Amino acid sequence: RTITVQDAFESINLSVIFLIAALIPLGISIDHTQFDELIANAFLMLTEVVPIASDSSLYIYLAIFYFITFMLTAFLSNAVVAIILTPLTFIIAKDLGCDPRPFLMAICFGASACFMTPMGYQTNLMVFAPGQYKMKDFIYIGLPLNLIFWGLAIWLIPIYWPF
């Protein structure tokens, strides 16, 4: 006897649901237009700067991939970022000659580390206005958290999902 069904439906934030639903076709269209291959090729241009010589260079690629993921998650929904970047993972891993699982885990963890902005995650967006938060509040707390998670992910992902 805490909440009625009508109260539950009225409390649903439809803008968040529509945001997620509207951006899922974006990931699908990126895959169908082969824009994902263009992005992957741009990412792989780094091989000229950081040659693939050992696992240490794969750590650099993993760090860059995680960084791109959490930066995109700061401005897009985490589900959308995961949808957009997942096809890239297979292209990049194939060209690097390694297992795609570490890069998939970087997407999962990087997309979940959306602490820097209110747009990154639905819960952040829901508390932003009622809590009278400002963008700088999220950046002050979220940026250090993202950097800590980034370091931990780059260290731990290859341990559990080797290249």
Side-chain angles (χ1 to χ4, degrees), residues 11-56:
S11 67
I12 294 173
N13 190 347
L14 291 177
S15 64
V16 173
I17 292 171
F18 285 127
L19 174 72
I20 294 170
L23 291 177
I24 288 174
L26 177 67
I28 295 168
S29 66
I30 285 174
D31 184 41
H32 285 296
T33 60
Q34 297 179 343
F35 186 62
D36 56 347
E37 290 182 22
L38 181 68
I39 296 170
N41 289 334
F43 182 81
L44 289 169
M45 287 174 53
L46 289 171
T47 56
E48 296 172 10
V49 178
V50 182
I52 308 163
S54 65
D55 279 350
S56 62

mmCIF file of all heavy atoms in Angstrom, residues 11-56:
data_model
loop_
_atom_site.group_PDB
_atom_site.id
_atom_site.type_symbol
_atom_site.label_atom_id
_atom_site.label_comp_id
_atom_site.label_asym_id
_atom_site.label_seq_id
_atom_site.Cartn_x
_atom_site.Cartn_y
_atom_site.Cartn_z
ATOM 1 N N SER A 11 4.852 8.689 -12.594
ATOM 2 C CA SER A 11 6.218 9.023 -12.190
ATOM 3 C C SER A 11 7.263 8.616 -13.217
ATOM 4 O O SER A 11 8.434 8.939 -13.071
ATOM 5 C CB SER A 11 6.545 8.371 -10.853
ATOM 6 O OG SER A 11 6.593 6.969 -11.004
ATOM 7 N N ILE A 12 6.861 7.899 -14.269
ATOM 8 C CA ILE A 12 7.810 7.492 -15.307
ATOM 9 C C ILE A 12 8.247 8.719 -16.095
ATOM 10 O O ILE A 12 7.431 9.494 -16.564
ATOM 11 C CB ILE A 12 7.176 6.439 -16.252
ATOM 12 C CG1 ILE A 12 6.900 5.158 -15.483
ATOM 13 C CG2 ILE A 12 8.083 6.167 -17.439
ATOM 14 C CD1 ILE A 12 6.133 4.135 -16.285
ATOM 15 N N ASN A 13 9.547 8.864 -16.218
ATOM 16 C CA ASN A 13 10.111 9.976 -16.974
ATOM 17 C C ASN A 13 10.183 9.566 -18.442
ATOM 18 O O ASN A 13 11.120 8.895 -18.878
ATOM 19 C CB ASN A 13 11.494 10.327 -16.421
ATOM 20 C CG ASN A 13 12.022 11.610 -16.986
ATOM 21 O OD1 ASN A 13 11.494 12.130 -17.964
ATOM 22 N ND2 ASN A 13 13.069 12.120 -16.369
ATOM 23 N N LEU A 14 9.188 9.960 -19.215
ATOM 24 C CA LEU A 14 9.097 9.531 -20.609
ATOM 25 C C LEU A 14 10.216 10.087 -21.484
ATOM 26 O O LEU A 14 10.598 9.468 -22.470
ATOM 27 C CB LEU A 14 7.737 9.904 -21.191
ATOM 28 C CG LEU A 14 6.551 9.120 -20.621
ATOM 29 C CD1 LEU A 14 5.248 9.627 -21.218
ATOM 30 C CD2 LEU A 14 6.710 7.646 -20.893
ATOM 31 N N SER A 15 10.761 11.233 -21.126
ATOM 32 C CA SER A 15 11.842 11.790 -21.945
ATOM 33 C C SER A 15 13.057 10.875 -21.945
ATOM 34 O O SER A 15 13.731 10.726 -22.969
ATOM 35 C CB SER A 15 12.220 13.190 -21.462
ATOM 36 O OG SER A 15 12.741 13.137 -20.150
ATOM 37 N N VAL A 16 13.333 10.225 -20.825
ATOM 38 C CA VAL A 16 14.461 9.300 -20.756
ATOM 39 C C VAL A 16 14.189 8.073 -21.624
ATOM 40 O O VAL A 16 15.053 7.618 -22.375
ATOM 41 C CB VAL A 16 14.725 8.891 -19.285
ATOM 42 C CG1 VAL A 16 15.777 7.806 -19.205
ATOM 43 C CG2 VAL A 16 15.133 10.096 -18.467
ATOM 44 N N ILE A 17 12.990 7.554 -21.547
ATOM 45 C CA ILE A 17 12.632 6.373 -22.331
ATOM 46 C C ILE A 17 12.672 6.692 -23.826
ATOM 47 O O ILE A 17 13.201 5.913 -24.623
ATOM 48 C CB ILE A 17 11.248 5.838 -21.903
ATOM 49 C CG1 ILE A 17 11.356 5.283 -20.480
ATOM 50 C CG2 ILE A 17 10.745 4.775 -22.859
ATOM 51 C CD1 ILE A 17 10.066 4.917 -19.847
ATOM 52 N N PHE A 18 12.137 7.838 -24.205
ATOM 53 C CA PHE A 18 12.162 8.223 -25.619
ATOM 54 C C PHE A 18 13.583 8.482 -26.108
ATOM 55 O O PHE A 18 13.910 8.206 -27.262
ATOM 56 C CB PHE A 18 11.278 9.440 -25.873
ATOM 57 C CG PHE A 18 9.811 9.126 -25.865
ATOM 58 C CD1 PHE A 18 8.945 9.839 -25.059
ATOM 59 C CD2 PHE A 18 9.293 8.115 -26.651
ATOM 60 C CE1 PHE A 18 7.588 9.547 -25.038
ATOM 61 C CE2 PHE A 18 7.942 7.811 -26.652
ATOM 62 C CZ PHE A 18 7.083 8.531 -25.838
ATOM 63 N N LEU A 19 14.443 9.012 -25.243
ATOM 64 C CA LEU A 19 15.836 9.241 -25.616
ATOM 65 C C LEU A 19 16.510 7.928 -25.981
ATOM 66 O O LEU A 19 17.162 7.802 -27.019
ATOM 67 C CB LEU A 19 16.587 9.928 -24.476
ATOM 68 C CG LEU A 19 18.089 10.108 -24.670
ATOM 69 C CD1 LEU A 19 18.351 11.176 -25.723
ATOM 70 C CD2 LEU A 19 18.745 10.471 -23.366
ATOM 71 N N ILE A 20 16.332 6.928 -25.142
ATOM 72 C CA ILE A 20 16.949 5.628 -25.403
ATOM 73 C C ILE A 20 16.346 5.004 -26.654
ATOM 74 O O ILE A 20 17.061 4.511 -27.530
ATOM 75 C CB ILE A 20 16.776 4.698 -24.189
ATOM 76 C CG1 ILE A 20 17.576 5.248 -23.004
ATOM 77 C CG2 ILE A 20 17.238 3.282 -24.515
ATOM 78 C CD1 ILE A 20 17.273 4.547 -21.709
ATOM 79 N N ALA A 21 15.033 5.015 -26.736
ATOM 80 C CA ALA A 21 14.359 4.389 -27.878
ATOM 81 C C ALA A 21 14.696 5.081 -29.196
ATOM 82 O O ALA A 21 14.823 4.435 -30.231
ATOM 83 C CB ALA A 21 12.856 4.388 -27.654
ATOM 84 N N ALA A 22 14.874 6.385 -29.165
ATOM 85 C CA ALA A 22 15.157 7.118 -30.398
ATOM 86 C C ALA A 22 16.587 6.924 -30.870
ATOM 87 O O ALA A 22 16.869 7.011 -32.069
ATOM 88 C CB ALA A 22 14.876 8.600 -30.196
ATOM 89 N N LEU A 23 17.513 6.647 -29.952
ATOM 90 C CA LEU A 23 18.912 6.537 -30.347
ATOM 91 C C LEU A 23 19.347 5.124 -30.706
ATOM 92 O O LEU A 23 20.405 4.934 -31.296
ATOM 93 C CB LEU A 23 19.803 7.105 -29.247
ATOM 94 C CG LEU A 23 19.695 8.620 -29.083
ATOM 95 C CD1 LEU A 23 20.549 9.096 -27.922
ATOM 96 C CD2 LEU A 23 20.096 9.351 -30.338
ATOM 97 N N ILE A 24 18.563 4.117 -30.377
ATOM 98 C CA ILE A 24 18.912 2.749 -30.765
ATOM 99 C C ILE A 24 18.979 2.612 -32.289
ATOM 100 O O ILE A 24 19.919 2.008 -32.810
ATOM 101 C CB ILE A 24 17.956 1.727 -30.121
ATOM 102 C CG1 ILE A 24 18.265 1.646 -28.621
ATOM 103 C CG2 ILE A 24 18.070 0.361 -30.782
ATOM 104 C CD1 ILE A 24 17.321 0.785 -27.832
ATOM 105 N N PRO A 25 18.039 3.178 -33.057
ATOM 106 C CA PRO A 25 18.181 3.096 -34.520
ATOM 107 C C PRO A 25 19.445 3.775 -35.045
ATOM 108 O O PRO A 25 19.936 3.419 -36.118
ATOM 109 C CB PRO A 25 16.933 3.810 -35.043
ATOM 110 C CG PRO A 25 15.943 3.697 -33.946
ATOM 111 C CD PRO A 25 16.750 3.740 -32.683
ATOM 112 N N LEU A 26 19.987 4.725 -34.292
ATOM 113 C CA LEU A 26 21.239 5.358 -34.699
ATOM 114 C C LEU A 26 22.361 4.328 -34.759
ATOM 115 O O LEU A 26 23.133 4.289 -35.723
ATOM 116 C CB LEU A 26 21.602 6.493 -33.738
ATOM 117 C CG LEU A 26 22.925 7.198 -33.996
ATOM 118 C CD1 LEU A 26 22.864 7.955 -35.311
ATOM 119 C CD2 LEU A 26 23.252 8.130 -32.854
ATOM 120 N N GLY A 27 22.458 3.487 -33.743
ATOM 121 C CA GLY A 27 23.478 2.434 -33.748
ATOM 122 C C GLY A 27 23.289 1.461 -34.880
ATOM 123 O O GLY A 27 24.260 1.031 -35.519
ATOM 124 N N ILE A 28 22.059 1.123 -35.166
ATOM 125 C CA ILE A 28 21.763 0.204 -36.269
ATOM 126 C C ILE A 28 22.127 0.838 -37.606
ATOM 127 O O ILE A 28 22.718 0.199 -38.474
ATOM 128 C CB ILE A 28 20.284 -0.221 -36.222
ATOM 129 C CG1 ILE A 28 20.023 -1.024 -34.946
ATOM 130 C CG2 ILE A 28 19.901 -1.019 -37.452
ATOM 131 C CD1 ILE A 28 18.568 -1.251 -34.652
ATOM 132 N N SER A 29 21.796 2.111 -37.775
ATOM 133 C CA SER A 29 22.111 2.781 -39.040
ATOM 134 C C SER A 29 23.614 2.958 -39.223
ATOM 135 O O SER A 29 24.113 2.882 -40.352
ATOM 136 C CB SER A 29 21.396 4.127 -39.127
ATOM 137 O OG SER A 29 21.893 5.019 -38.158
ATOM 138 N N ILE A 30 24.339 3.167 -38.138
ATOM 139 C CA ILE A 30 25.798 3.268 -38.235
ATOM 140 C C ILE A 30 26.371 1.952 -38.739
ATOM 141 O O ILE A 30 27.297 1.934 -39.558
ATOM 142 C CB ILE A 30 26.404 3.679 -36.879
ATOM 143 C CG1 ILE A 30 26.144 5.162 -36.641
ATOM 144 C CG2 ILE A 30 27.886 3.380 -36.809
ATOM 145 C CD1 ILE A 30 26.558 5.650 -35.287
ATOM 146 N N ASP A 31 25.802 0.851 -38.278
ATOM 147 C CA ASP A 31 26.264 -0.456 -38.735
ATOM 148 C C ASP A 31 25.905 -0.691 -40.198
ATOM 149 O O ASP A 31 26.732 -1.151 -40.991
ATOM 150 C CB ASP A 31 25.657 -1.544 -37.849
ATOM 151 C CG ASP A 31 26.168 -2.924 -38.204
ATOM 152 O OD1 ASP A 31 27.377 -3.063 -38.470
ATOM 153 O OD2 ASP A 31 25.357 -3.870 -38.215
ATOM 154 N N HIS A 32 24.687 -0.353 -40.591
ATOM 155 C CA HIS A 32 24.236 -0.606 -41.970
ATOM 156 C C HIS A 32 24.939 0.288 -42.995
ATOM 157 O O HIS A 32 25.146 -0.128 -44.133
ATOM 158 C CB HIS A 32 22.721 -0.423 -42.087
ATOM 159 C CG HIS A 32 21.945 -1.561 -41.501
ATOM 160 N ND1 HIS A 32 22.000 -2.838 -41.994
ATOM 161 C CD2 HIS A 32 21.111 -1.608 -40.442
ATOM 162 C CE1 HIS A 32 21.233 -3.630 -41.280
ATOM 163 N NE2 HIS A 32 20.681 -2.905 -40.319
ATOM 164 N N THR A 33 25.291 1.493 -42.620
ATOM 165 C CA THR A 33 25.958 2.395 -43.558
ATOM 166 C C THR A 33 27.475 2.191 -43.583
ATOM 167 O O THR A 33 28.168 2.884 -44.309
ATOM 168 C CB THR A 33 25.665 3.864 -43.212
ATOM 169 O OG1 THR A 33 26.137 4.130 -41.891
ATOM 170 C CG2 THR A 33 24.188 4.163 -43.318
ATOM 171 N N GLN A 34 27.954 1.263 -42.755
ATOM 172 C CA GLN A 34 29.377 0.957 -42.621
ATOM 173 C C GLN A 34 30.186 2.135 -42.101
ATOM 174 O O GLN A 34 31.382 2.235 -42.334
ATOM 175 C CB GLN A 34 29.937 0.424 -43.935
ATOM 176 C CG GLN A 34 29.289 -0.872 -44.357
ATOM 177 C CD GLN A 34 29.805 -1.393 -45.662
ATOM 178 O OE1 GLN A 34 30.418 -0.672 -46.442
ATOM 179 N NE2 GLN A 34 29.562 -2.666 -45.912
ATOM 180 N N PHE A 35 29.513 3.037 -41.408
ATOM 181 C CA PHE A 35 30.220 4.134 -40.752
ATOM 182 C C PHE A 35 31.092 3.594 -39.626
ATOM 183 O O PHE A 35 32.119 4.187 -39.307
ATOM 184 C CB PHE A 35 29.210 5.163 -40.224
ATOM 185 C CG PHE A 35 29.837 6.402 -39.659
ATOM 186 C CD1 PHE A 35 30.602 7.236 -40.457
ATOM 187 C CD2 PHE A 35 29.664 6.743 -38.334
ATOM 188 C CE1 PHE A 35 31.191 8.373 -39.953
ATOM 189 C CE2 PHE A 35 30.240 7.881 -37.811
ATOM 190 C CZ PHE A 35 31.007 8.704 -38.619
ATOM 191 N N ASP A 36 30.699 2.442 -39.064
ATOM 192 C CA ASP A 36 31.498 1.825 -38.016
ATOM 193 C C ASP A 36 32.879 1.424 -38.539
ATOM 194 O O ASP A 36 33.882 1.581 -37.844
ATOM 195 C CB ASP A 36 30.775 0.630 -37.397
ATOM 196 C CG ASP A 36 30.374 -0.424 -38.419
ATOM 197 O OD1 ASP A 36 30.431 -0.140 -39.635
ATOM 198 O OD2 ASP A 36 30.001 -1.525 -37.991
ATOM 199 N N GLU A 37 32.947 0.969 -39.786
ATOM 200 C CA GLU A 37 34.242 0.610 -40.368
ATOM 201 C C GLU A 37 35.104 1.851 -40.588
ATOM 202 O O GLU A 37 36.316 1.812 -40.403
ATOM 203 C CB GLU A 37 34.047 -0.150 -41.671
ATOM 204 C CG GLU A 37 33.490 -1.538 -41.471
ATOM 205 C CD GLU A 37 33.356 -2.307 -42.772
ATOM 206 O OE1 GLU A 37 34.048 -1.952 -43.751
ATOM 207 O OE2 GLU A 37 32.553 -3.245 -42.782
ATOM 208 N N LEU A 38 34.485 2.955 -40.966
ATOM 209 C CA LEU A 38 35.217 4.203 -41.138
ATOM 210 C C LEU A 38 35.814 4.668 -39.813
ATOM 211 O O LEU A 38 36.982 5.061 -39.748
ATOM 212 C CB LEU A 38 34.291 5.272 -41.724
ATOM 213 C CG LEU A 38 34.905 6.641 -41.983
ATOM 214 C CD1 LEU A 38 35.914 6.556 -43.120
ATOM 215 C CD2 LEU A 38 33.822 7.644 -42.315
ATOM 216 N N ILE A 39 35.016 4.588 -38.754
ATOM 217 C CA ILE A 39 35.498 4.976 -37.425
ATOM 218 C C ILE A 39 36.615 4.032 -36.978
ATOM 219 O O ILE A 39 37.631 4.467 -36.432
ATOM 220 C CB ILE A 39 34.339 4.995 -36.408
ATOM 221 C CG1 ILE A 39 33.316 6.064 -36.783
ATOM 222 C CG2 ILE A 39 34.854 5.237 -34.997
ATOM 223 C CD1 ILE A 39 32.029 5.985 -35.984
ATOM 224 N N ALA A 40 36.416 2.730 -37.211
ATOM 225 C CA ALA A 40 37.431 1.750 -36.820
ATOM 226 C C ALA A 40 38.734 1.989 -37.571
ATOM 227 O O ALA A 40 39.818 1.907 -36.985
ATOM 228 C CB ALA A 40 36.922 0.335 -37.076
ATOM 229 N N ASN A 41 38.650 2.313 -38.833
ATOM 230 C CA ASN A 41 39.861 2.594 -39.608
ATOM 231 C C ASN A 41 40.567 3.844 -39.098
ATOM 232 O O ASN A 41 41.796 3.894 -39.066
ATOM 233 C CB ASN A 41 39.540 2.722 -41.096
ATOM 234 C CG ASN A 41 39.181 1.390 -41.708
ATOM 235 O OD1 ASN A 41 39.599 0.344 -41.231
ATOM 236 N ND2 ASN A 41 38.384 1.415 -42.765
ATOM 237 N N ALA A 42 39.806 4.847 -38.687
ATOM 238 C CA ALA A 42 40.414 6.043 -38.101
ATOM 239 C C ALA A 42 41.111 5.687 -36.794
ATOM 240 O O ALA A 42 42.211 6.168 -36.507
ATOM 241 C CB ALA A 42 39.351 7.111 -37.874
ATOM 242 N N PHE A 43 40.478 4.828 -36.010
ATOM 243 C CA PHE A 43 41.092 4.378 -34.760
ATOM 244 C C PHE A 43 42.358 3.584 -35.037
ATOM 245 O O PHE A 43 43.369 3.740 -34.354
ATOM 246 C CB PHE A 43 40.083 3.532 -33.971
ATOM 247 C CG PHE A 43 40.583 3.061 -32.635
ATOM 248 C CD1 PHE A 43 40.555 3.900 -31.541
ATOM 249 C CD2 PHE A 43 41.078 1.778 -32.476
ATOM 250 C CE1 PHE A 43 41.008 3.473 -30.313
ATOM 251 C CE2 PHE A 43 41.536 1.343 -31.256
ATOM 252 C CZ PHE A 43 41.500 2.198 -30.165
ATOM 253 N N LEU A 44 42.312 2.756 -36.056
ATOM 254 C CA LEU A 44 43.463 1.917 -36.370
ATOM 255 C C LEU A 44 44.607 2.695 -37.012
ATOM 256 O O LEU A 44 45.711 2.166 -37.143
ATOM 257 C CB LEU A 44 43.031 0.757 -37.255
ATOM 258 C CG LEU A 44 42.193 -0.295 -36.524
ATOM 259 C CD1 LEU A 44 41.585 -1.263 -37.510
ATOM 260 C CD2 LEU A 44 43.031 -1.020 -35.491
ATOM 261 N N MET A 45 44.362 3.931 -37.411
ATOM 262 C CA MET A 45 45.455 4.771 -37.903
ATOM 263 C C MET A 45 46.473 5.018 -36.799
ATOM 264 O O MET A 45 47.603 5.397 -37.061
ATOM 265 C CB MET A 45 44.932 6.078 -38.479
ATOM 266 C CG MET A 45 44.250 5.900 -39.821
ATOM 267 S SD MET A 45 43.461 7.390 -40.467
ATOM 268 C CE MET A 45 44.793 8.567 -40.406
ATOM 269 N N LEU A 46 46.063 4.767 -35.551
ATOM 270 C CA LEU A 46 46.995 4.885 -34.434
ATOM 271 C C LEU A 46 48.130 3.875 -34.522
ATOM 272 O O LEU A 46 49.160 4.057 -33.895
ATOM 273 C CB LEU A 46 46.257 4.689 -33.106
ATOM 274 C CG LEU A 46 45.318 5.795 -32.673
ATOM 275 C CD1 LEU A 46 44.518 5.357 -31.463
ATOM 276 C CD2 LEU A 46 46.108 7.043 -32.356
ATOM 277 N N THR A 47 47.923 2.804 -35.281
ATOM 278 C CA THR A 47 48.984 1.803 -35.401
ATOM 279 C C THR A 47 50.247 2.388 -36.014
ATOM 280 O O THR A 47 51.327 1.844 -35.834
ATOM 281 C CB THR A 47 48.521 0.587 -36.224
ATOM 282 O OG1 THR A 47 48.075 1.031 -37.502
ATOM 283 C CG2 THR A 47 47.424 -0.167 -35.510
ATOM 284 N N GLU A 48 50.100 3.495 -36.731
ATOM 285 C CA GLU A 48 51.286 4.169 -37.260
ATOM 286 C C GLU A 48 52.053 4.861 -36.143
ATOM 287 O O GLU A 48 53.272 4.959 -36.190
ATOM 288 C CB GLU A 48 50.888 5.180 -38.328
ATOM 289 C CG GLU A 48 50.251 4.538 -39.546
ATOM 290 C CD GLU A 48 49.692 5.565 -40.514
ATOM 291 O OE1 GLU A 48 49.967 6.771 -40.336
ATOM 292 O OE2 GLU A 48 48.982 5.162 -41.448
ATOM 293 N N VAL A 49 51.319 5.327 -35.117
ATOM 294 C CA VAL A 49 51.951 6.010 -33.984
ATOM 295 C C VAL A 49 52.394 4.996 -32.936
ATOM 296 O O VAL A 49 53.493 5.073 -32.405
ATOM 297 C CB VAL A 49 50.982 7.046 -33.366
ATOM 298 C CG1 VAL A 49 51.593 7.717 -32.164
ATOM 299 C CG2 VAL A 49 50.572 8.057 -34.412
ATOM 300 N N VAL A 50 51.489 4.055 -32.609
ATOM 301 C CA VAL A 50 51.768 3.025 -31.611
ATOM 302 C C VAL A 50 51.735 1.669 -32.321
ATOM 303 O O VAL A 50 50.677 1.071 -32.446
ATOM 304 C CB VAL A 50 50.727 3.051 -30.468
ATOM 305 C CG1 VAL A 50 51.066 2.014 -29.424
ATOM 306 C CG2 VAL A 50 50.624 4.431 -29.859
ATOM 307 N N PRO A 51 52.881 1.193 -32.799
ATOM 308 C CA PRO A 51 52.875 -0.082 -33.517
ATOM 309 C C PRO A 51 52.484 -1.235 -32.596
ATOM 310 O O PRO A 51 52.734 -1.201 -31.401
ATOM 311 C CB PRO A 51 54.308 -0.228 -34.018
ATOM 312 C CG PRO A 51 55.104 0.772 -33.295
ATOM 313 C CD PRO A 51 54.192 1.798 -32.714
ATOM 314 N N ILE A 52 51.875 -2.257 -33.185
ATOM 315 C CA ILE A 52 51.442 -3.425 -32.422
ATOM 316 C C ILE A 52 52.641 -4.346 -32.281
ATOM 317 O O ILE A 52 52.911 -5.172 -33.141
ATOM 318 C CB ILE A 52 50.281 -4.152 -33.131
ATOM 319 C CG1 ILE A 52 49.170 -3.176 -33.461
ATOM 320 C CG2 ILE A 52 49.752 -5.278 -32.268
ATOM 321 C CD1 ILE A 52 48.201 -3.696 -34.480
ATOM 322 N N ALA A 53 53.375 -4.184 -31.211
ATOM 323 C CA ALA A 53 54.571 -4.984 -31.022
ATOM 324 C C ALA A 53 54.405 -5.974 -29.875
ATOM 325 O O ALA A 53 54.986 -7.044 -29.883
ATOM 326 C CB ALA A 53 55.769 -4.077 -30.752
ATOM 327 N N SER A 54 53.600 -5.622 -28.900
ATOM 328 C CA SER A 54 53.478 -6.477 -27.725
ATOM 329 C C SER A 54 52.146 -6.205 -27.029
ATOM 330 O O SER A 54 51.340 -5.399 -27.483
ATOM 331 C CB SER A 54 54.629 -6.199 -26.763
ATOM 332 O OG SER A 54 54.523 -4.873 -26.284
ATOM 333 N N ASP A 55 51.958 -6.897 -25.911
ATOM 334 C CA ASP A 55 50.756 -6.668 -25.127
ATOM 335 C C ASP A 55 50.702 -5.256 -24.567
ATOM 336 O O ASP A 55 49.627 -4.721 -24.342
ATOM 337 C CB ASP A 55 50.667 -7.672 -23.973
ATOM 338 C CG ASP A 55 50.131 -9.015 -24.428
ATOM 339 O OD1 ASP A 55 49.651 -9.094 -25.574
ATOM 340 O OD2 ASP A 55 50.185 -9.967 -23.633
ATOM 341 N N SER A 56 51.853 -4.635 -24.364
ATOM 342 C CA SER A 56 51.847 -3.266 -23.811
ATOM 343 C C SER A 56 51.181 -2.288 -24.776
ATOM 344 O O SER A 56 50.487 -1.366 -24.345
ATOM 345 C CB SER A 56 53.262 -2.801 -23.470
ATOM 346 O OG SER A 56 54.065 -2.769 -24.630
#
